[in-house]
Structure formats: C-alpha cells, structure tokens
C-alpha cells in the first residue's frame, strides 16, 4: 500500500498549482498529491487509486466546474469512499449545493475563494483528526 493521497479538483490549473504548492509546503512527503481539472479526470484518479490499493484520504474540490458541479462530484465520490475527508473550495456555491454536499457527501468544510492557506490546512487537519 502506498502513501495516502490528497486529491485536488478544479478547472483552473493555476488554482491546482497553488493548492499543490501549499499542501507540499505543509505536509512535505507525508502524502502524495493528485490533481484533476474536471470530474471525469478526478473519478479516473479515484478508480486508479482504488485499483492500486492506495488510500485516498482527502478531496478538495471546487464547486463551479464545467459539466458536473462539485457537490454532485463529492456525492458520487462519497458512495465509493465514505470515509474520505471532503472539502469544497469555492467562491460560487449556493447554500443549497453546500447543504446537499453536507447531507449526502459528508462535506467536512466549505471554504470560500480566495482561501487562506491556514484555513485550508486547519480544515484538513481537523478532518483527519476525526478519522
């Protein structure tokens, strides 16, 4: 079994790059970091991790993406990995989407963009502390 993975999903590559840098600076080589620019790509990553028996521990997902919205993605991911910490990172999500993600995906936290690195790290740490 490999190192646990943190998966970041956003349709903007600059956001993904920023998230990965912040996570690497905080956690160094404690985890592996995967990124996906859309939900289909994210589901492929999740399937590959599951097939390789690599634990997925955190998903950080945008809400407003082309095609499938973040709450819908997190609900689908929750069906396969209910124990994964799910964080929505968004400047666009409406209250109904956040409520759906909390109810049906076990959303741990919703953080507004632009985000504060300390808030993101605290959300991840507090989620992992509950597992």
């Amino acid at each position: 079994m490999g190192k646990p993975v943190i998966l970041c999903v956003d349709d903007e590559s600059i956001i993904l790059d920023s998230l990965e840098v912040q996570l690497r600076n905080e956690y160094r080589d404690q985890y592996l970091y995967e990124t996906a620019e859309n939900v289909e790509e994210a589901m492929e990553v999740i399937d590959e991790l599951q097939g390789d028996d690599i634990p997925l521990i955190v998903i950080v997902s945008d809400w407003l993406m082309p095609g499938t919205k973040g709450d819908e993605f997190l609900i689908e991911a929750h069906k396969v990995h209910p124990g994964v910490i799910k964080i929505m990172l968004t400047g666009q999500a409406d209250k109904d989407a956040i409520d759906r993600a909390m109810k049906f995906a076990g959303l741990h936290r919703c953080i507004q963009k632009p985000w504060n690195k300390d808030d993101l790290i605290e959300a991840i740490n507090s989620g992992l502390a509950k597992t």
Side-chain angles (χ1 to χ4, degrees), residues 12-36:
E12 295 183 52
S13 60
I14 193 163
I15 299 288
L16 292 174
D17 293 344
S18 180
L19 286 168
E20 188 170 353
V21 166
Q22 290 177 354
L23 293 171
R24 282 186 190 280
N25 286 341
E26 180 68 24
Y27 298 111
R28 307 275 178 218
D29 63 351
Q30 187 175 356
Y31 303 116
L32 295 176
Y33 308 96
E34 293 284 344
T35 60

Side-chain angles (χ1 to χ4, degrees), residues 31-122:
Y31 303 116
L32 295 176
Y33 308 96
E34 293 284 344
T35 60
E37 291 188 8
N38 57 57
V39 170
E40 293 77 24
E41 192 178 317
M43 292 306 287
E44 287 176 17
V45 169
I46 290 171
D47 288 345
E48 287 175 19
L49 293 173
Q50 190 170 11
D52 293 341
D53 200 27
I54 299 172
L56 175 62
I57 58 167
V58 176
I59 298 173
V60 179
S61 178
D62 186 19
W63 177 70
L64 185 60
M65 297 182 283
T68 308
K69 298 288 187 268
D71 60 318
E72 297 165 4
F73 161 60
L74 292 175
I75 290 167
E76 287 305 308
H78 184 74
K79 291 175 183 175
V80 181
H81 293 284
V84 170
I85 305 307
K86 295 158 206 83
I87 298 170
M88 198 179 322
L89 187 66
T90 184
Q92 305 286 334
D94 60 28
K95 184 176 180 340
D96 290 340
I98 295 168
D99 290 346
R100 263 191 314 277
M102 287 183 165
K103 184 175 182 178
F104 298 111
L107 182 69
H108 175 66
R109 185 90 41 94
C110 183
I111 300 174
Q112 296 296 312
K113 287 181 181 177
W115 72 95
N116 175 300
K117 176 191 79 91
D118 293 336
D119 290 343
L120 175 64
I121 299 304
E122 190 281 324

